[in-house]
Amino acid sequence: MAEKQALPSESSHHQNQSAGQRRPATPSSPGRPVTPRGAARPATRPTLADIISEQEGIFIRRQPESGRLASKATSALAGGVTSNWQISRPQPVWLSHGSGSKLYDVDGNEYVDLHGGYGVSLAGHAHPAIVAAVQHQVTRGTHFAQPTRDALAVAAQLGSRFGLPQWRFANSGTEATMDAIHLMRAITGRDVIIKVEGCYHGHHDSVQVSVYPEPEDMGDADRPASAPASTGIPKAFTDLTVIVGFSDLAAVERVLAEHKDQVAGMIVEPIMMNAGIIMPKPGYLAALKELLHANQALLTFDEIKTGLTAGPAGAIGVTGVTPDIVCLAKAIGGGVSVAAIGGTAEVMKHVTNGDYEMVGTFNGNPLAMAATRAMLYEVATPEAYTKIDLLRRRATDGAQEAIARHGLAARVVSVGAKGCIVFTDRPVGNFRDFLAINDEYSHAHWLFQHNGGVFLPPWGKAEQWLISVQHDSADIDRFNGNVARFAASIAGVGKVLDSAQ
Ligand SMILES: Cc1ncc(COP(=O)(O)O)c(C=O)c1O
């Protein structure tokens, strides 16, 4: 096995992250050279920037129609896309359709879809059960703003999986976490909420705080600042959201003491995503719940990414800790937009008695409920999770083997249907550890995968793959082959660095 190659300096590498934004606004910021300035380098060895530039050239040559549409779109779509997260380097990819585990772009290229629409497509594309449920409902009406039988079946299934008895529905993750925070405030009569640095919970005011903060805005590690994640967020809101590090129980204890009788509750991703995948420290979540309850404050789990994908009962099932409120969205609708908010009887009685006005025209929309019912009862089955686990292991072991063979300082982290390569050999336990990872490796990896027919989520180091119930071992082998090609190419850069240091 090759000797372990040092990856370049792990100094904060966030130049792609423009101020106040979770992800870059500039689709084509150039790759940073990874060798020290002025260092002697054998002419034959490419730098990481050279490799990225070559791969970006291939990318653009493969996608002329995407390029044409991207240019045309700038006049009608602000920024040429329908959400900032659809911007990718070197250009956005325009899609034609999906089928099973595959995606097809407008240039006719086929991809194994491990992007999963940012964690939605656990069912894969055009799954027969989802198609049948949606087709059936379309012919019977797509909107009533009245409850249907499917809503009851969905609530029953969510209740038995997640251990929370009562449910309401919404349309996006943002709405779900907004309702959860309103509920925590309504129940306690308090305004302050605690949020973890680097967690993304949607784009409403209370949680658009310290999502992907710039180092100069972050404050001390033991007392993180509340940094607005976007313009347009009133300071009054930002000030009510107090920031702590992930798995840092002492920080929560300090905040509760410093804001005595003011904290309504805390929102946390029980397994932190949007920063690769960071598992909680053992015992953290159970102790957190106890600590918050001792201070008459509530605990909300944001399981918008982990719900159904970390396992059949999300991170609640993985960690064994049940919060007061859970927020679900993304994968639960089988590709149709839906969200769910589950709560204890104690929490939900404040909805029942009208204390908290929980409303929405499209809540419990019949089309969304039909798709969610099919997802829960026919797609996300025990057999499907067994298959996904085999594929997860195949992807994890295969990628890890290629990384080890080429001696890269990187590792694979996976849970359930989700996984990612973390480009460091240092421990990553919170956002600050994560921020120090050089993003250019993830970008280079993304390009190798894309040009090799595998679509991963564009914003490399933050995002994870999603394996669907329709993937098979050939799909995973295509992914692993690309990891091997990437690792072989990057190992050369490592040698250059070694010789330059
Ligand atoms: C953990 C988490 N919470 C909330 C959201 C917001 O969900 P949505 O984009 O559906 O509003 C996201 C979206 O990426 C997320 O990853």
Side-chain angles (χ1 to χ4, degrees):
M1 186 194 295
E3 215 178 307
K4 191 163 244 196
Q5 306 295 331
L7 292 181
S9 155
E10 294 191 348
S11 62
S12 171
H13 187 84
H14 63 283
Q15 83 279 16
N16 284 338
Q17 306 293 337
S18 59
Q21 285 189 310
R22 176 180 172 233
R23 292 188 169 89
T26 46
S28 56
S29 51
R32 185 185 68 148
V34 293
T35 46
R37 212 180 282 267
R41 191 170 58 232
T44 51
R45 298 233 196 245
T47 64
L48 180 57
D50 294 335
I51 292 170
I52 288 176
S53 167
E54 184 189 15
Q55 291 297 320
E56 288 190 348
I58 297 170
F59 185 104
I60 288 186
R61 283 194 295 281
R62 274 165 50 93
Q63 299 175 52
E65 182 61 7
S66 262
R68 207 184 62 73
L69 286 171
S71 310
K72 190 175 168 204
T74 51
S75 57
L77 297 174
V81 287
T82 63
S83 160
N84 282 7
W85 305 344
Q86 297 165 8
I87 300 169
S88 55
R89 266 169 78 193
Q91 69 183 17
V93 183
W94 286 66
L95 291 180
S96 151
H97 63 286
S99 174
S101 63
K102 306 292 191 305
L103 279 175
Y104 299 85
D105 69 18
V106 288
D107 287 287
N109 296 307
E110 179 196 88
Y111 305 89
V112 169
D113 180 16
L114 291 175
H115 179 329
Y118 283 125
V120 168
S121 307
L122 184 64
H125 300 286
H127 190 290
I130 304 289
V131 170
V134 168
Q135 268 174 352
H136 176 73
Q137 191 59 47
V138 162
T139 61
R140 293 164 62 87
T142 57
H143 186 72
F144 313 130
Q146 291 299 134
T148 58
R149 285 181 201 278
D150 284 342
L152 209 50
V154 168
Q157 177 65 203
L158 292 177
S160 74
R161 286 185 189 231
F162 292 90
L164 288 163
Q166 293 208 321
W167 295 82
R168 278 288 182 92
F169 303 108
N171 308 285
S172 67
T174 294
E175 284 179 63
T177 62
M178 186 178 70
D179 268 326
I181 281 167
H182 287 166
L183 262 170
M184 294 197 294
R185 287 178 166 151
I187 292 167
T188 58
R190 300 169 173 181
D191 288 342
V192 174
I193 60 156
I194 305 176
K195 175 191 171 288
V196 169
E197 188 170 57
C199 275
Y200 178 69
H201 299 296
H203 57 277
H204 58 93
D205 294 355
S206 295
V207 291
Q208 275 285 56
V209 183
S210 297
V211 171
Y212 212 116
E214 297 291 317
E216 59 273 23
D217 298 331
M218 284 178 8
D220 292 341
D222 56 359
R223 195 175 278 272
S226 299
S230 169
T231 50
I233 310 291
K235 186 171 180 308
F237 274 101
T238 308
D239 289 346
L240 288 174
T241 301
V242 182
I243 302 301
V244 295
F246 190 59
S247 283
D248 188 349
L249 203 60
V252 177
E253 209 163 354
R254 175 182 56 73
V255 171
L256 288 165
E258 287 178 358
H259 298 268
K260 193 149 179 48
D261 300 332
Q262 293 167 39
V263 175
M266 176 161 168
I267 183 163
V268 63
E269 286 181 280
I271 297 170
M272 190 170 166
M273 297 196 178
N274 294 302
I277 296 178
I278 306 180
M279 298 302 287
K281 276 190 190 155
Y284 166 64
L285 296 172
L288 190 60
K289 182 175 171 184
E290 206 174 301
L291 181 59
L292 290 163
H293 284 188
N295 287 271
Q296 295 76 50
L298 296 164
L299 177 63
T300 292
F301 279 179
D302 175 347
E303 288 233 45
I304 281 150
K305 274 200 149 175
T306 51
L308 291 200
T309 65
I316 289 180
V318 172
T319 66
V321 178
T322 309
D324 301 294
I325 302 171
V326 70
C327 301
L328 305 170
K330 294 204 189 251
I332 65 166
V336 176
S337 127
V338 68
I341 304 102
T344 60
E346 184 57 31
V347 163
M348 293 314 233
K349 86 171 186 225
H350 295 269
V351 177
T352 304
N353 70 15
D355 272 358
Y356 173 59
E357 182 82 334
M358 199 167 194
V359 295
T361 302
F362 277 91
N363 291 4
N365 167 267
L367 194 61
M369 291 293 103
T372 308
R373 181 182 188 157
M375 184 70 198
L376 290 171
Y377 286 88
E378 298 172 61
V379 179
T381 57
E383 301 73 43
Y385 284 102
T386 304
K387 178 183 162 196
I388 283 174
D389 203 52
L390 287 174
L391 296 178
R392 177 187 69 78
R393 270 187 268 154
R394 191 177 185 99
T396 304
D397 295 350
Q400 195 66 65
E401 189 276 324
I403 286 167
R405 183 155 30 94
H406 294 284
L408 296 187
R411 62 180 177 276
V412 183
V413 183
S414 61
V415 56
K418 307 278 273 182
C420 61
I421 301 178
V422 181
F423 290 97
T424 181
D425 56 3
R426 300 184 193 181
V428 178
N430 60 36
F431 176 72
R432 290 180 192 223
D433 301 336
F434 159 81
L435 197 58
I437 302 168
N438 183 337
D439 203 12
E440 291 302 276
Y441 287 96
S442 312
H443 182 52
H445 175 237
W446 185 75
L447 290 166
F448 268 90
Q449 290 289 357
H450 202 87
N451 293 336
V454 175
F455 206 143
L456 284 172
W459 300 116
K461 77 171 182 177
E463 288 294 333
Q464 315 78 38
W465 73 58
L466 177 68
I467 296 170
S468 84
V469 303
Q470 298 195 68
H471 281 79
D472 61 21
S473 49
D475 293 329
I476 302 303
D477 291 348
R478 196 190 288 185
F479 168 81
N480 283 338
N482 291 335
V483 175
R485 269 186 291 283
F486 159 79
S489 163
I490 292 302
V493 172
K495 285 190 191 104
V496 169
L497 282 160
D498 280 351
S499 66
Q501 280 164 353

